[in-house]
Amino acid sequence: MTELFSEGAPLKLAMDGPLAVLTMDSPPKNLFDIAMWDAWKAALKWLGDNPPRGLLIRASGTVVSAGVDVEVFRRMARDEAESFWAEQLATTRALERLPFPTVFAAHSLTLTAAFELALACDLIVATGSARFGLVERVVGFTPAMGGTQRLAALAGPARARELVMTGKLYRATTLERWGVVNQIFELATFQNDAHAYAMDLATGPTVAHAATKQVVAHYLAGGTEAADAALPGIAAAVTRSEDHRRSVEAFLTEGPDHATDCHGR
């Protein structure tokens, strides 16, 4: 893979063909401090300016992330809090709006800010023993990067209130039942399995994947009526794409099992 960020950065961004791989690498706990947030902003800007066909987010070390560095709360001036959290929420929204499939891979403990960013991804894969938590209650706080509302959209408002208000940790197997985690992989092969899962999406129909994200976004914003209103225009744009025409021709000449390695616009 080709590394794109400098040595020593808390995030590593690399390209593996069509797939971008973003790795949190700030041992030992991959905490979200100012340097980590700044790295996320830089990475998401690069990805927006140089869109790959898929993104895998993962972490090095024994934990995915132990969450926000508590020193951030200690040092924050009261009159700066609103603008600070608006800036961090903008990072979540930038990740959510990327026009290609995004996969968050959690091999172990994933807390607060990291979990909130995971909830902004299209898909979450995890080991069965991975644990997730929005544990801000321990510092008398509430999730401020959009995790509560995104969890409510996936699992329902009662589950969101439960997870946030209790501050408990939940295993990936539980969150899979809730519809939050999409796929469970064995720990021994997790990194390879997660990479293959994301690569399958990155080598799929790029324009169609982007359209699917648009339809879901319209549904989340306004329900079925809003998605229905937007769908004909979205489908028409896909119809006009080289991606779609190439896939149709491949289906007719090679059959339904043809490779869907599409990237036309």
Side-chain angles (χ1 to χ4, degrees), residues 8 13 26-27 38 55 68 75-76 93 109 119 143 146 158 175 179 202 205 210 212 214-215 233 240 246 252 256:
L13 179 60
S26 182
D38 285 348
L55 171 65
V68 177
R75 296 171 182 170
M76 189 179 302
R93 290 168 66 85
L109 186 68
L119 291 165
L175 295 188
T212 298
Q214 291 174 41
V215 174
R240 292 190 292 269
R246 185 184 296 114
L252 293 173

Side-chain angles (χ1 to χ4, degrees), residues 5 11 13 22 39-49 55 57 90-96 98 117:
F5 271 21
L11 283 178
L13 179 60
L22 188 61
W40 271 92
K41 292 178 183 66
L44 291 171
K45 183 180 187 310
W46 190 93
L47 290 164
D49 293 341
L55 171 65
I57 299 171
T91 297
T92 302
R93 290 168 66 85
L95 172 59
E96 192 169 50
L98 291 174
L117 289 171

Side-chain angles (χ1 to χ4, degrees), residues 70-84:
V70 177
E71 286 294 330
V72 169
F73 298 106
R74 172 183 283 174
R75 296 171 182 170
M76 189 179 302
R78 293 184 182 183
D79 61 354
E80 296 174 354
E82 184 172 354
S83 61
F84 177 86

Side-chain angles (χ1 to χ4, degrees), residues 106-111 115 124-134 151 162-163 168-184 187:
H107 65 280
S108 59
L109 186 68
T110 306
L111 298 182
F115 188 17
I124 300 174
V125 299
T127 63
S129 60
R131 294 178 298 162
F132 296 81
L134 296 174
L151 184 62
E162 174 190 341
L163 195 147
K168 292 180 179 178
L169 301 183
Y170 291 77
R171 291 197 180 276
T173 48
T174 298
L175 295 188
E176 184 187 31
R177 293 198 302 272
W178 290 9
V180 177
V181 170
N182 298 91
Q183 188 78 42
I184 302 289
L187 178 60

